[in-house]
């Protein structure tokens, strides 16, 4: 087997395409392998950048290597060692001694530095970036920067913070990883499962940042959804866990409705009024197949939410949604992961499945909870159920929700509902 | 007089803004004079026969605060900020990584009511090493 392809007129284009593919598909593995051995994310990232820069020069001239990831890993490792020597830092004890002259031509993969364990390395890199000893916003920034490969500027733009702020946050987080010795090793199985709960939360947080994006830059921020889905796919590939599968399915299902969520003027379209032909049927089908693989164990919160989203996505019309099953799924969700948002949605589902009065009864404990007095979705759900029950108190409930709403668009929507419910005992909307 | 000599903890504090600007710190390996002062002071303690131990911490932004409430472990990125809490003691432990240190921190009895701040110590900055090498860490 040759390490080179024949030089021809397409070499430049081939090399360019191979480099792009490697950047997207192999960069995290290369970084992870080097970072794990160095214990220093900053030095590893610098070395990987240099390795890609070297590839951009060499691949068009010498052809694309058979195993681009191995080539890049070896190149990055040598760059890292060169940098360590230049800094006069001792080589860390866990590093193998390659005994190679600096600047040696990269042809064969470094012995012992092959990408055999790259999958474990990528997983450990994700765990390091999402270590709970780091602030949540640092976890998100590190994951997007080092796992997904976004630039500081791209991340800053998506989170609407100045680039300098984002860079400072990353520098500080990498300093803590290095100085406080946040591990790059995979934890044991029990701990790994705990940590994956946190990793999934970070991926979901990235998704919701993109999904809830509003204002002037929805399109820039919306691709955070794609990054989150890419991250969920990596996690799913690295460790098949029913909850990770559930997360990926949930993200696919929520994202499948992206095109229908806003009208031509950019206003949010309520779920019931969305044009279902705009939903991404392929994504829904993918999610359905993923959920079919999760097995018989009691489902966790992401699987339950995905199952609910799937029932919505596969109903031919809003009137044909199986609310009875959805209400049962919310019951289960309220048991495994109780939260105000789950209680509100559970009451709405009960209202649809068994009638508005039952929904109102289900909502009662939340309405009586003083901690939720200013929770907008609770008052909106209360108004919705009152309206369905034909109770004239609905208008006042919509107004209460509108008065509490912080987002102008949401407040306008709630005020319209209040006006619509006001003229008399309605109960005709839906 | 009752009892023998007493051990005292000297807590070394610094103005927060002294750590704010990374650029303002001397680069690693650069001796700005301050490092020699520390080494000289450590030597003075040793020669007086009063030194028990001591070590430099990493900066506060490498700290992690651990609390255990209702059996659940809560982590906060950073030093404990609640001024109503005050220092009641310390342990120095040596473990492979931060996760292991946090596991031990969560087992400190008062983690259930108070806060355990976990701060890495600078390698090679302990008093014994400083005395053995005759210089402070980072000095050339």
């Amino acid at each position: 087997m040759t390490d080179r392809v024949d030089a021809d007129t397409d070499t430049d284009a081939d090399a360019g395409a191979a480099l792009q593919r490697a950047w997207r598909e192999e960069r995290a593995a290369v970084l992870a392998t080097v970072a794990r051995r160095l214990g220093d994310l900053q030095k590893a990232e610098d070395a990987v950048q240099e390795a890609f820069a070297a590839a951009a020069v060499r691949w068009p001239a010498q052809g694309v290597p058979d195993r681009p990831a191995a080539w890049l890993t070896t190149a990055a490792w040598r760059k890292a060692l060169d940098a360590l020597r230049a800094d006069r830092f001792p080589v860390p004890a866990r590093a193998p001694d390659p005994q190679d002259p600096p600047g040696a031509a990269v042809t064969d993969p470094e012995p012992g530095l092959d990408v055999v364990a790259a999958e474990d390395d990528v997983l450990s890199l994700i765990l390091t970036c999402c270590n709970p000893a780091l602030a949540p916003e640092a976890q998100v920034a590190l994951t997007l920067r080092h796992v997904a490969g976004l630039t500081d500027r791209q991340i800053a733009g998506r989170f609407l913070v100045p680039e300098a702020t984002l860079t400072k946050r990353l520098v500080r987080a990498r300093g803590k990883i290095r100085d406080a010795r946040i591990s790059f090793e995979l934890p044991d199985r029990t701990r790994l499962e705990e940590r994956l709960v946190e990793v999934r939360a970070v991926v979901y947080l990235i998704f919701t940042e993109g999904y809830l994006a509003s204002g002037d830059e929805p399109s820039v921020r919306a691709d955070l959804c794609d990054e989150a889905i890419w991250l969920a796919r990596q996690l799913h590939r690295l460790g098949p866990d029913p909850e990770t599968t559930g997360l990926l399915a949930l993200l696919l299902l929520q994202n499948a409705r992206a095109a229908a969520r806003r009208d031509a003027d950019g206003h949010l379209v309520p779920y019931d009024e969305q044009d279902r032909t705009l939903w991404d049927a392929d994504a829904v089908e993918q999610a359905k197949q993923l959920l079919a693989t999760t097995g018989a164990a009691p489902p966790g919160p992401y699987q339950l939410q995905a199952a609910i989203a799937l029932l919505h996505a596969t109903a031919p019309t809003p009137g044909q949604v199986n609310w009875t099953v959805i209400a049962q799924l919310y019951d289960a969700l309220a048991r495994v992961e109780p939260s105000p948002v789950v209680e509100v949605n559970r009451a709405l589902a009960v209202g649809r499945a068994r009638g508005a009065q039952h929904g109102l009864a289900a909502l009662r404990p939340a309405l009586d909870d003083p901690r939720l007095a200013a929770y907008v979705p609770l008052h909106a759900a209360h108004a919705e159920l009152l309206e369905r029950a034909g109770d004239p108190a609905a208008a006042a409930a919509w107004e209460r929700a509108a008065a509490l709403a912080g987002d102008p668009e949401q407040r306008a929507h709630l005020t319209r509902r209040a006006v619509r419910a006001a003229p008399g005992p309605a109960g005709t909307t839906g | 007089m009752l009892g023998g000599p007493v051990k005292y903890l000297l807590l070394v504090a610094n103005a927060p803004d002294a750590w704010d600007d990374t650029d303002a710190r001397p680069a690693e390996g650069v001796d700005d004079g301050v490092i020699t002062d520390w080494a000289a002071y450590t030597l003075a303690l040793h020669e007086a026969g009063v030194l028990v131990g001591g070590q430099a911490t990493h900066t506060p932004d490498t700290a992690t605060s651990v609390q255990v409430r209702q059996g659940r472990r809560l982590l906060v990125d950073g030093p404990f900020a609640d001024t109503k809490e005050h220092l009641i003691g310390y342990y120095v432990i040596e473990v492979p990584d931060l996760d292991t240190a946090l596991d031990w921190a969560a087992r400190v009895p008062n983690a259930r009511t108070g806060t355990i701040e976990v701060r890495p110590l600078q390698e090679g900055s302990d008093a014994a090493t400083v005395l053995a090498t005759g210089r402070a860490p980072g000095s050339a």
Side-chain angles (χ1 to χ4, degrees):
Chain A
M1 211 156 89
T2 171
D3 199 39
R4 305 275 180 256
V5 295
D6 293 331
D8 59 34
T9 50
D10 291 333
T11 304
D12 270 10
D14 287 350
L19 200 59
Q20 278 198 347
R21 195 166 49 243
W23 179 261
R24 189 58 179 162
E25 292 171 12
E26 317 281 10
R27 200 200 55 85
V30 173
L31 174 66
T33 305
V34 176
R36 191 178 194 176
R37 280 156 187 78
L38 279 179
D40 187 323
L41 200 45
Q42 181 62 65
K43 286 193 167 67
E45 184 67 69
D46 291 347
V48 169
Q49 301 280 352
E50 284 192 50
F52 271 91
V57 174
R58 295 221 191 171
W59 292 8
Q62 301 174 357
V64 177
D66 281 347
R67 298 161 67 213
W71 190 99
L72 288 161
T73 306
T74 304
W77 179 241
R78 291 185 183 175
K79 301 278 184 199
L81 290 179
D82 288 350
L84 285 172
R85 288 193 191 101
D87 286 356
R88 295 192 299 122
F89 283 130
V91 174
R94 54 185 135 165
D97 182 9
Q99 295 182 330
D100 61 322
V106 178
T107 48
D108 303 315
E110 198 75 60
L113 193 72
D114 210 344
V115 277
V116 179
E119 306 226 316
D120 274 359
D121 280 354
V122 173
L123 188 55
S124 76
L125 175 66
I126 296 173
L127 289 176
T128 303
C129 291
C130 298
N131 192 293
L134 298 162
E137 65 270 20
Q139 296 178 34
V140 165
L142 286 168
T143 303
L144 288 171
R145 178 72 182 79
H146 298 294
V147 184
L150 268 58
T151 62
D152 288 14
R153 171 169 298 196
Q154 286 171 326
I155 302 167
R158 282 153 184 76
F159 284 87
L160 312 177
V161 295
E163 187 180 345
T165 307
L166 194 278
T167 298
K168 198 170 176 184
R169 189 180 291 168
L170 281 167
V171 167
R172 184 194 164 251
R174 285 190 294 253
K176 178 166 181 179
I177 290 173
R178 182 192 62 228
D179 293 337
R181 238 13 127 69
I182 289 180
S183 175
F184 283 87
E185 301 299 321
L186 279 185
D188 64 37
R189 185 155 187 83
T190 316
R191 179 54 68 89
L192 179 61
E193 283 176 9
E194 288 169 23
R195 297 287 307 281
L196 283 173
V197 172
E198 291 153 354
V199 173
R200 286 189 287 264
V202 169
V203 174
Y204 193 63
L205 185 65
I206 291 171
F207 183 87
T208 48
E209 273 293 328
Y211 196 71
L212 300 176
S214 60
D216 297 335
E217 307 177 68
S219 59
V220 183
R221 306 190 68 205
D223 71 1
L224 283 177
C225 295
D226 297 330
E227 296 300 338
I229 289 171
W230 182 84
L231 285 165
R233 280 195 203 283
Q234 302 305 307
L235 277 183
H236 182 252
R237 188 173 59 79
L238 295 170
D241 174 303
E243 269 297 88
T244 300
T245 308
L247 171 67
L248 177 55
L250 177 63
L251 300 190
L252 286 169
L253 286 163
Q254 292 195 354
N255 204 45
R257 298 205 295 262
R261 286 179 69 229
R262 287 182 185 277
D263 63 19
D265 301 325
H267 295 303
L268 281 173
V269 181
Y271 165 75
D272 278 1
E273 296 161 28
Q274 288 177 8
D275 178 355
R276 290 171 176 246
T277 62
L278 294 176
W279 292 0
D280 182 347
D282 289 344
V284 172
E285 182 57 34
Q286 244 187 76
K288 188 176 175 180
Q289 287 177 12
L290 280 168
L291 285 177
T293 66
T294 52
Y302 288 115
Q303 292 170 76
L304 289 167
Q305 291 176 79
I308 291 165
L310 185 65
L311 284 171
H312 281 298
T314 51
T317 66
Q320 287 167 280
V321 171
N322 191 336
W323 286 104
T324 306
V325 176
I326 288 181
Q328 288 165 358
L329 289 167
Y330 272 118
D331 284 342
L333 190 54
R335 280 193 300 273
V336 297
E337 199 174 73
S339 75
V341 69
V342 169
E343 281 312 310
V344 164
N345 284 316
R346 190 176 75 86
L348 284 171
V350 167
R352 298 274 193 155
R354 292 159 58 197
Q357 292 300 348
H358 286 95
L360 285 166
L363 201 60
R364 198 72 253 166
L367 286 169
D368 291 340
D369 186 341
R371 288 168 303 176
L372 300 179
Y375 186 51
V376 177
L378 171 64
H379 294 290
H382 189 208
E384 175 84 37
L385 288 164
L386 287 170
E387 195 173 300
R388 284 177 180 278
D391 190 322
W398 284 121
E399 277 166 21
R400 233 180 350 266
L404 290 166
D407 176 54
E409 188 178 344
Q410 190 189 28
R411 189 162 56 242
H413 171 75
L414 292 166
T415 306
R416 280 196 298 275
R417 296 295 301 259
V419 172
R420 227 160 76 188
T428 52
T429 45
Chain B
M1 200 168 128
L2 290 173
V6 182
K7 283 179 180 155
Y8 289 96
L9 180 65
L10 274 57
L11 293 169
V12 184
N14 206 9
D17 57 6
W19 299 114
D20 267 4
D21 185 3
T22 320
D23 298 334
R25 293 179 220 166
E28 290 200 54
V30 174
D31 187 342
D32 62 350
V34 175
I35 290 169
T36 350
D37 292 348
W38 288 100
Y41 175 69
T42 307
L43 188 63
L45 289 172
H46 173 70
E47 284 172 349
V50 300
L51 180 65
V52 175
Q55 193 160 355
T57 67
H58 277 286
T59 53
D61 59 13
T62 61
T64 309
S65 295
V66 185
Q67 297 183 332
V68 176
R69 299 290 185 268
Q70 279 99 45
R72 289 198 56 193
R73 192 169 82 167
L74 311 170
L75 299 184
V76 174
D77 178 22
F80 65 81
D82 190 344
T83 49
K84 282 176 288 186
E85 291 180 336
H86 52 251
L87 194 70
I88 60 166
Y90 78 98
Y91 289 95
V92 176
I93 61 172
E94 189 166 20
V95 293
D97 55 40
L98 181 64
D99 283 344
T100 316
L102 296 176
D103 285 345
W104 281 107
R107 288 173 61 183
V108 174
N110 87 311
R112 294 191 294 271
T113 50
T115 306
I116 316 302
E117 178 179 332
V118 179
R119 183 90 73 89
L121 296 175
Q122 288 186 31
E123 240 175 289
S125 74
D126 57 290
T129 305
V130 172
L131 291 171
T133 59
R135 58 187 166 87
S139 58

